[in-house]
DNA sequence: ATGGTCGCCACGCGA
């Protein structure tokens, strides 16, 4: 089972790029972030005609997440537990059954800029809720893949120019510590362990501004976290860097993992 | 030091 994450920065603007990527990706399950659409506005028929089951958790204008799956999506839940007053659409979960059942958790973690400030407070509070919920996912002992746009640069080598991000919510010590506190529960960062002693990158995001792509001034903020049971079945992982060079690209590229499940 | 680019949706906001 191949499972991918793609922050598409507007599903309506990305129908072409997303369709093209899907045609060559051989993915079974794809979680999307920043669909920037309400549920009714999602091009459900377009992707349905291509054989995808679609579950969305949309929002007007901003945010919004979705899951596309070739296999049926079961036990779908929307929203991150822990705060009934949080009305931002950033989290969706579903189970996909291939050779084995895999729990898929798709997330769009708050950006948090400017920091300090209320947006950064929201980011850290959201990460604390994610930490608590992630622990319950691990306790389930299911195969779990928790993936998406984490909006956190884990380490200096995950940025082309780490010094540029020193004051940014994506790289502040508290953001990195909060991500580590989740990882250290026992999650496996699939792209990182592929080559644990490698140098910089691979990157998953290049800003539209300032020619960041042409300078390869990127960061790694889209992550695949695997439960130990899922990591045992990991056979391959990758970052589809070439998607950033396509027509009308998102500022993020897909990341993916293949499980023997 | 500043402005640089997108998407959404029709204006400024969020990233």
């Amino acid at each position: 089972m191949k499972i991918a994450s793609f922050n598409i920065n507007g599903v309506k603007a990305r129908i072409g790029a997303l369709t093209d990527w899907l045609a060559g990706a051989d993915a079974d399950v794809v979680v999307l972030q920043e669909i920037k659409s309400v549920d009714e506005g999602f091009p459900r028929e377009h992707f349905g005609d291509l054989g995808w089951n679609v579950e969305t958790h949309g929002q007007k204008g901003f945010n919004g997440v979705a899951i596309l799956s070739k296999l049926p999506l079961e036990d779908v839940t929307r929203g991150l537990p822990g705060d009934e007053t949080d009305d931002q659409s950033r989290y969706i979960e579903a189970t996909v059954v291939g050779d084995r059942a895999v729990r898929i958790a798709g997330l769009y973690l708050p950006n948090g800029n400017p920091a300090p400030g209320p947006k950064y407070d929201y980011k850290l509070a959201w990460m604390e809720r994610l930490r608590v919920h992630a622990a319950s996912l691990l306790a389930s002992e299911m195969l779990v893949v928790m993936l998406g746009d984490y909006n956190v640069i884990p380490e200096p080598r995950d940025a082309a120019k780490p010094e540029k991000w020193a004051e940014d919510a994506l790289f502040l010590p508290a953001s990195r510590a909060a991500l580590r506190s989740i990882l250290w529960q026992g999650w496996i960062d699939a792209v990182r362990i592929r080559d644990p002693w490698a140098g910089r990158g691979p990157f998953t995001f290049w800003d539209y501004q300032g020619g960041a792509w042409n300078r390869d001034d990127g960061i790694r903020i889209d992550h695949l976290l695997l439960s130990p049971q899922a990591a045992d079945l990991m056979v391959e992982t990758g970052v589809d860097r070439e998607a950033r060079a396509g027509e009308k690209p998102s500022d993020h590229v897909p990341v993916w993992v293949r499980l023997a499940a």
Side-chain angles (χ1 to χ4, degrees):
Chain A
M1 184 187 300
K2 182 171 175 179
I3 302 158
S5 172
F6 195 176
N7 179 324
I8 53 172
N9 188 21
V11 68
K12 298 184 213 40
R14 220 64 67 201
I15 289 180
L18 178 56
T19 302
D20 291 349
W21 174 76
L22 287 170
D26 187 38
D28 299 291
V29 186
V30 181
V31 301
L32 303 173
Q33 302 90 39
E34 285 203 88
I35 64 173
K36 295 188 174 180
S37 166
V38 294
D39 294 332
E40 307 76 55
F42 194 96
R44 179 177 300 271
E45 293 75 18
H46 172 81
F47 293 104
D49 290 347
L50 295 171
W52 295 98
N53 297 295
V54 179
E55 294 288 347
T56 62
H57 183 35
Q59 181 178 339
K60 182 178 165 62
F62 311 104
N63 305 326
V65 291
I67 307 183
L68 308 181
S69 176
K70 294 282 191 184
L71 297 159
L73 289 161
E74 304 174 6
D75 302 323
V76 180
T77 60
R78 293 169 175 79
L80 180 65
D83 182 359
E84 303 304 316
T85 68
D86 183 3
D87 55 5
Q88 299 196 26
S89 298
R90 298 179 172 274
Y91 190 90
I92 187 167
E93 239 179 68
T95 298
V96 176
V97 183
D99 295 337
R100 306 270 300 271
V102 181
R103 189 68 175 164
I104 306 289
L107 64 92
Y108 175 48
L109 208 146
N111 175 296
N113 281 303
K119 290 186 177 177
Y120 193 58
D121 295 342
Y122 174 65
K123 176 178 194 150
L124 293 181
W126 204 94
M127 293 186 81
E128 171 59 15
R129 286 162 57 200
L130 182 63
R131 187 187 66 78
V132 170
H133 186 61
S136 75
L137 288 173
L138 286 183
S140 76
E141 299 190 6
M142 287 187 73
L143 308 185
V144 185
V145 180
M146 187 168 70
L147 72 170
D149 178 359
Y150 280 73
N151 266 317
V152 178
I153 303 166
E155 298 178 63
R157 60 180 162 165
D158 295 309
K161 300 176 183 174
E163 66 281 1
K164 197 173 100 171
W165 301 91
E167 308 298 320
D168 195 285
L170 277 58
F171 195 52
L172 284 174
S175 308
R176 297 169 56 197
L179 179 60
R180 287 197 301 274
S181 76
I182 295 169
L183 281 165
W184 291 353
Q185 293 174 340
W187 296 91
I188 289 82
D189 177 347
V191 170
R192 175 53 72 208
I193 70 148
R194 171 178 73 171
D195 194 358
W197 310 117
R200 292 205 187 282
F203 304 133
T204 67
F205 169 90
W206 297 259
D207 202 295
Y208 288 121
Q209 303 181 61
W213 167 247
N214 292 323
R215 302 167 192 270
D216 196 21
D217 182 8
I219 52 177
R220 189 175 75 97
I221 54 174
D222 299 270
H223 306 301
L224 304 143
L225 270 52
L226 275 52
S227 70
Q229 293 84 352
D232 282 345
L233 300 179
M234 181 168 70
V235 292
E236 194 183 8
T237 181
V239 178
D240 288 347
R241 178 185 167 93
E242 65 280 3
R244 188 64 176 79
E247 195 85 6
K248 267 195 90 172
S250 171
D251 41 6
H252 295 250
V253 296
V255 298
W256 54 268
V257 65
R258 193 183 296 276
L259 304 180

